[in-house]
Every structure is written in structure tokens, then in C-alpha cells.
Amino acid sequence: MKNIILTAAAASIALVSCGTVQSLVQNTFPYTANVLISTGVPANKEVSSTATASNVQTWFGGNNNAKIKDVRISDAKISVVTPSGGNLSAFKTIKVYISSSGTGERLVASRTNISTDASSLTLDLENTGFLDEVVKSTGVTVRTVYELKNQTSSDMNLRIALNFSSIPAN
């Protein structure tokens, strides 16, 4: 009986250890940016808004020296921050581009023919390849290009949340 309990405990520790190693090997990190949609934005016209993106690494000096590679977009979501109870029904299309100091702009996510009255929406990911040079540079910016179906009745603040995945570099 004692051996069974010790074996079960050892197996549990091994499984937890494997999970920890897995999370260290497969690194996922988010970037967020805020976008203001003003009431004066006309309908049926593409409009662009650029914002500096931030993540936890920004507080600790950035990803410049990060030992990561094969960085890819893994998730992109847009959500209404204000007004409270606001929704995305006014939007026709949304495109999200990222860039950083010394790198070209890359389309990472988009959605066309938006037909929802939800307050958040998962965007379709674009096949951008690896984004190592963008994420590992300083000053990551997010440019959001959107088109409205109709003008909004009040200012709207949106949050763009981009998640990236990577593996450790050798």
C-alpha cells in the first residue's frame, strides 16, 4: 500500500514537472493596444488609428534580448472597453497591423463582414510567418484599420489583444 502511494506521488510530481517544462518551452505572451473611435468618424470609409502596444516585457526592458524564436501570432481579439454595454455592431471591417522600430508593417489579424452585437470578437489570423524581428525590436506599434457601417452615437474605446507564441532559442 505504501509503495502504491509513493508511486502515485512520484507520478504526480513528474506530470506537474512536465507541465512546467512545457510552459517554459512554449512561451506565450500578450500585447495590448487601445483604439479610440470618435463620433465624427464617417461610415463606409476606411480609417486608421495607431497606438503603442504594451506587454509585461515592456516593463522589464523589452524583448530585445529575449532568447526566443519562431514567434507567431496565436490569437487576436478586439473588445469594447467603453461605453459600458457597448458593442461592435457599427463595424464593417477591422484589420490589425504590427510594426516596430526598423521593421516593416505586417498584417496579423482581420475580420470582414462583421455582423455581431457582441462586445468582443475574435479576429481571423493572417499567415504572416515568423514575427521575431518585430516582437524582439523596441517600440511595437499596432495600427488598426477599420470601416464603420454607420457612425457611432458616442466615442468608443476598444482594446486590441494580440497573443504571440514562441519557442526558446538555442
Side-chain angles (χ1 to χ4, degrees):
M1 184 69 166
K2 205 178 214 184
N3 286 339
I4 293 173
I5 293 172
L6 288 174
T7 303
S12 297
I13 290 171
L15 289 174
V16 170
S17 298
C18 289
T20 302
V21 169
Q22 177 74 22
S23 69
L24 291 174
V25 170
Q26 184 72 29
N27 185 24
T28 302
F29 50 96
Y31 273 93
T32 59
N34 293 319
V35 177
L36 172 66
I37 311 298
S38 299
T39 53
V41 174
N44 300 311
K45 181 180 178 193
E46 267 196 351
V47 179
S48 176
S49 175
T50 303
T52 301
S54 63
N55 75 351
V56 173
Q57 284 86 347
T58 303
W59 303 334
F60 298 105
N63 288 319
N64 315 32
N65 299 318
K67 302 290 186 200
I68 57 174
K69 66 178 186 174
D70 299 347
V71 177
R72 292 183 184 267
I73 184 82
S74 60
D75 182 54
K77 190 174 187 176
I78 186 166
S79 54
V80 177
V81 177
T82 59
S84 180
N87 64 56
L88 299 166
S89 63
F91 288 87
K92 186 186 288 186
T93 63
I94 297 173
K95 298 175 191 168
V96 179
Y97 298 85
I98 64 166
S99 62
S100 61
S101 303
T103 67
E105 194 172 67
R106 307 271 294 272
L107 176 65
V108 292
S110 65
R111 180 62 76 94
T112 57
N113 301 320
I114 297 171
S115 60
T116 183
D117 59 358
S119 63
S120 65
L121 177 67
T122 300
L123 301 175
D124 299 324
L125 302 180
E126 301 294 326
N127 185 10
T128 59
F130 296 123
L131 300 165
D132 297 36
E133 65 181 23
V134 177
V135 173
K136 291 172 73 172
S137 296
T138 57
V140 174
T141 58
V142 172
R143 184 169 73 94
T144 307
V145 177
Y146 59 91
E147 186 176 346
L148 299 175
K149 293 177 205 169
N150 46 43
Q151 270 188 314
T152 59
S153 57
S154 65
D155 286 355
M156 183 182 290
N157 283 305
L158 303 177
R159 172 163 289 134
I160 308 292
L162 304 173
N163 288 309
F164 297 91
S165 63
S166 67
I167 60 173
N170 295 341

